[in-house]
Amino acid sequence: MSCDFIALAAPGVQKLSPYQPGKPIEELERELGISDIIKLASNENPLGCSPRVLTAIESGMSELALYPDGNGFVLKKALSDFYKRPLEEITLGNGSNDILELTARAFLKPGDEAVFSQHSFAVYPLVVQAVGATGISVPAVEYGHDLVAMAAAITEKTRVVFIANPNNPTGTWVEEGELDAFLMAVPENVIVVLDEAYGEYVQPGELPDGLDFLGRYANVIVSRTFSKAYGLAALRIGYAFAHPDITNVLNRVRQPFNVNALALRAAVAALGDQEFVKRSRDLNAAGMQFITEGVHALGLGVIPSKGNFLSINLGREGLPVYEALLRQGVIVRPVANYGMPHFLRVTIGSQAENERFLAALKTVLKAVA
Ligand SMILES: *Cc1c(COP(=O)(O)O)cnc(C)c1O
């Protein structure tokens, strides 16, 4: 080969290692020749999605030849009504991952810095590096964001800060007071992304609501998704609320049709079924308690979590346990790439899935002991 195409790539891209998704069920089926596999690896909703979504998608099937509404007006209007915020504050994304990427592309260039926490969402360093900017990972405290240290890490080069609340993969959270103090300390020309991908799983009033900060701090982007509690991960749709000028900037780098037509319809229907969201939240709370107790009974610790997942401290290398669980037909998530080699992250599933996971874990721990 005469040409080194890797060397041709933009400097940030050369050093990128792609996001590692949870192992798909079909892949494990092929590899091990087993069936009846459960996947608790990608924080998907065990209840699926609202039945209203299916009706909404069916009604869009006759229009597959048409481009979607590039402005996503109907969904933006629904979000605007639901949250009682102006339409001009909304950006729609191809998943909220898209929102994170738009933010990086719009506000970061080589030489700029973006601050995030150790053990935080893997996509932050990826989107930062891809545009040639520098990611600054701030050491965590007890696996959670150290907002005081993060504020101290802001320099004249800092343009963006990412905060996941609750955080993935740790499930840790930041409280209203510390977040407010942080935002007060951050210069106005630094954009703060509050990533609330798991916000719907938090009991109402339990954690700060990013939208409450929008009025007071113009430099905040609140990012949310339909992938998690709404159960629409396959369709790829998320959204952000931010100052209209920030929203204007994000929309300049957005693909004209970044959200597909079925996703737009599905999201409107999903937003309209808050009963489904509540059922998902309640099932998650019960499952969280069930798995936590089960894990404690096996003599293991967990990081307290407000997401729909739990990081379990195995007190030993996690990878062999992960692989042994695969052979039991249970897919969880290794988090060594998050600097947590002794942990595995498990998504809270249905009661049957949670029981199956605990039984498999018990079997596996006995075998690898
Ligand atoms: C899952 C997740 C997202 C985004 O998922 P999308 O499917 O792209 O909306 C964003 N942030 C965190 C912390 C997540 O865990």
Side-chain angles (χ1 to χ4, degrees):
M1 196 170 71
S2 56
C3 185
D4 184 349
F5 292 109
I6 306 289
L8 282 185
V13 177
Q14 284 180 35
K15 283 180 252 126
L16 277 185
S17 32
Y19 180 82
Q20 294 168 7
K23 196 180 196 61
I25 287 177
E26 294 75 21
E27 189 178 307
L28 187 63
E29 271 173 357
R30 279 196 303 273
E31 283 175 8
L32 297 184
I34 57 173
S35 56
D36 193 24
I37 292 166
I38 62 168
K39 182 184 175 205
L40 300 172
S42 299
N43 301 343
E44 294 148 335
N45 189 333
L47 292 178
C49 65
S50 162
R52 294 192 204 177
V53 165
L54 303 181
T55 314
I57 287 181
E58 273 165 22
S59 71
M61 296 285 259
S62 58
E63 293 177 0
L64 294 183
L66 306 180
Y67 280 102
D69 172 10
N71 286 316
F73 177 80
V74 176
L75 176 57
K76 281 190 188 170
K77 180 75 172 63
L79 286 165
S80 169
D81 290 345
F82 184 73
Y83 287 113
K84 301 185 175 52
R85 309 271 335 168
L87 211 79
E88 296 68 36
E89 291 184 349
I90 303 173
T91 304
L92 300 181
N94 193 276
S96 61
N97 199 309
D98 197 20
I99 299 291
L100 304 173
E101 204 170 310
L102 296 178
T103 303
R105 279 179 40 220
F107 290 102
L108 292 172
K109 58 186 183 307
D112 291 345
E113 293 177 356
V115 170
F116 42 79
S117 176
Q118 181 190 18
H119 314 307
S120 193
F121 191 38
V123 166
Y124 306 151
L126 282 182
V127 298
V128 171
Q129 268 190 50
V131 297
T134 304
I136 305 292
S137 174
V138 176
V141 172
E142 293 185 36
Y143 299 99
H145 290 60
D146 181 346
L147 289 184
V148 174
M150 286 177 73
I154 292 173
T155 69
E156 278 172 10
K157 293 180 182 168
T158 309
R159 285 287 155 269
V160 178
V161 178
F162 293 97
I163 295 173
N165 197 30
N167 183 48
N168 173 21
T170 59
T172 52
W173 60 93
V174 298
E175 304 276 1
E176 177 103 25
E178 50 172 341
L179 187 52
D180 199 22
F182 174 82
L183 290 170
M184 200 109 71
V186 173
E188 213 183 27
N189 64 349
V190 174
I191 305 282
V192 179
V193 178
L194 299 178
D195 180 346
E196 298 183 337
Y198 300 95
E200 293 83 6
Y201 279 113
V202 175
Q203 299 298 334
E206 213 184 349
L207 285 189
D209 179 341
L211 296 180
D212 292 342
F213 292 103
L214 274 184
R216 271 185 293 153
Y217 303 101
N219 52 336
V220 166
I221 297 177
V222 180
S223 168
R224 295 191 181 165
T225 184
F226 283 97
S227 297
K228 304 287 160 61
Y230 287 102
L232 301 184
L235 290 174
R236 312 308 303 130
I237 177 153
Y239 57 97
F241 281 89
H243 188 283
D245 291 349
I246 292 181
T247 304
N248 178 329
V249 169
L250 293 180
N251 277 283
R252 290 179 194 198
V253 291
R254 184 177 65 77
Q255 279 184 41
F257 304 104
N258 64 330
V259 180
N260 75 77
L262 299 183
L264 288 171
R265 285 176 183 268
V268 172
L271 190 67
D273 192 353
Q274 290 300 315
E275 188 51 42
F276 175 82
V277 175
K278 184 176 183 311
R279 262 202 297 138
S280 302
R281 181 164 56 235
D282 291 348
L283 179 73
N284 184 63
M288 178 73 78
Q289 191 179 346
F290 181 76
I291 292 193
T292 302
E293 287 170 4
V295 167
H296 283 157
L298 294 173
L300 304 175
V302 301
I303 302 174
S305 166
K306 289 200 193 290
N308 67 335
F309 53 88
L310 201 54
S311 276
I312 299 171
N313 190 348
L314 299 165
R316 48 164 291 151
E317 206 65 42
L319 212 55
V321 177
Y322 162 74
E323 282 163 355
L325 283 170
L326 287 182
R327 291 190 288 275
Q328 301 282 322
V330 176
I331 310 175
V332 298
R333 191 66 156 265
V335 283
N337 59 324
Y338 284 92
M340 299 165 63
H342 290 179
F343 287 79
L344 289 176
R345 191 196 69 189
V346 60
T347 301
I348 309 303
S350 65
Q351 179 62 18
E353 288 171 330
N354 298 340
E355 287 173 13
R356 170 113 178 255
F357 163 72
L358 283 176
L361 183 63
K362 190 171 179 179
T363 304
V364 159
L365 288 175
K366 248 187 251 160
V368 296

